[in-house]
Amino acid sequence: MKVLLLNGSPHANGTTYATLTVIQAQLRASGIDSEVFQIGGKPIAGCIGCGACRKSGKCAFGEDGVNAFIEKAKGFDGYVFASPVHFASASGAVTAFLDRGFCAANANFAYKPAATVAVARRAGTTATLDQLNKYPLYASMYLVGSRYWNMVHGAVPADITKDEEGLLVMRALADNLAYLLKALEAAKIGGVPRPLLEPAVRTNFIK
């Protein structure tokens, strides 16, 4: 079993990455492999609602790593979507990235567990989590919680080690994710069928 951890920070080795390494270590202790996917430090275009992805399963903009993430994510059993806090919300880059990734391929994530993580110097963590949680909830994923909200505080990577409660929350998060992955595998072996996805129905408040 493998977990893909999305580093939604433009800094490859910043506080968000340092937090993800804590989760990785705890997953490893439970026998779960993992890999970090970093969105990069270049600008990421937002979704323009062109609808091309509904036919191809890929985003029409293929230069900034979204399609690479979609393809890689197919081979993983669980996910962690992590973001630094920018202006009391998720980073603009990760928001654009996930908007396009889930618009193009949300069915690839269905019935897999996911956790979201917010990393901040000071404030905006709960608003960021509320924002990030909308992606797995939209895609019929199993949202994984912990012993508190999934957040860690620190201005620089070294600060992460000083947030003892935040580290505890990340370890518990990893344990819960590992447990759910194993439970889902046991259900599969035991012949427990997963729910069936009904065909999508698109309506608005007029129709």
Side-chain angles (χ1 to χ4, degrees):
M1 288 175 280
K2 299 187 297 182
V3 172
L4 186 61
L5 303 99
L6 180 68
N7 178 5
S9 170
H11 304 294
N13 298 296
T15 54
T16 304
Y17 176 76
T19 301
L20 291 176
T21 62
V22 175
I23 298 173
Q24 278 193 297
Q26 196 72 10
L27 287 172
R28 193 179 307 116
S30 295
I32 305 295
D33 293 329
S34 63
E35 181 179 334
V36 174
F37 188 102
Q38 208 267 329
I39 64 172
K42 296 182 179 179
I44 297 174
C47 178
I48 63 170
C50 67
C53 63
R54 294 175 189 165
K55 297 179 180 179
S56 67
K58 295 181 179 180
C59 184
F61 301 114
E63 302 82 18
D64 55 13
V66 172
N67 286 332
F69 173 75
I70 290 172
E71 190 61 32
K72 177 177 283 290
K74 293 178 182 178
F76 287 78
D77 307 293
Y79 308 89
V80 176
F81 305 113
S83 175
V85 174
H86 291 175
F87 284 90
S89 60
S91 74
V94 78
T95 300
F97 195 96
L98 292 176
D99 279 355
R100 290 166 50 208
F102 274 83
C103 186
N106 74 84
N108 293 344
F109 299 103
Y111 305 123
K112 296 181 180 181
T116 63
V117 172
V119 184
R121 180 189 65 83
R122 189 168 181 84
T125 47
T126 53
T128 297
L129 290 174
D130 289 343
Q131 186 176 352
L132 293 175
N133 285 343
K134 291 180 173 63
Y135 296 101
L137 291 176
Y138 170 80
S140 294
M141 303 182 80
Y142 303 118
L143 192 59
V144 181
S146 186
R147 295 177 56 179
Y148 192 75
W149 293 285
N150 301 341
M151 62 180 71
V152 176
H153 289 85
V156 295
D159 290 343
I160 299 302
T161 61
K162 303 172 187 176
D163 184 1
E164 295 182 7
E165 184 173 8
L167 294 178
L168 172 64
V169 170
M170 292 302 107
R171 292 193 298 268
L173 174 70
D175 288 342
N176 290 344
L177 179 54
Y179 174 82
L180 185 53
L181 283 167
K182 293 175 182 179
L184 289 170
E185 181 65 17
K188 180 179 178 181
I189 294 172
V192 180
R194 74 180 193 182
L196 295 176
L197 279 175
E198 293 187 36
V201 177
R202 294 174 62 85
T203 63
N204 55 42
F205 290 113
I206 296 175
K207 181 178 178 181

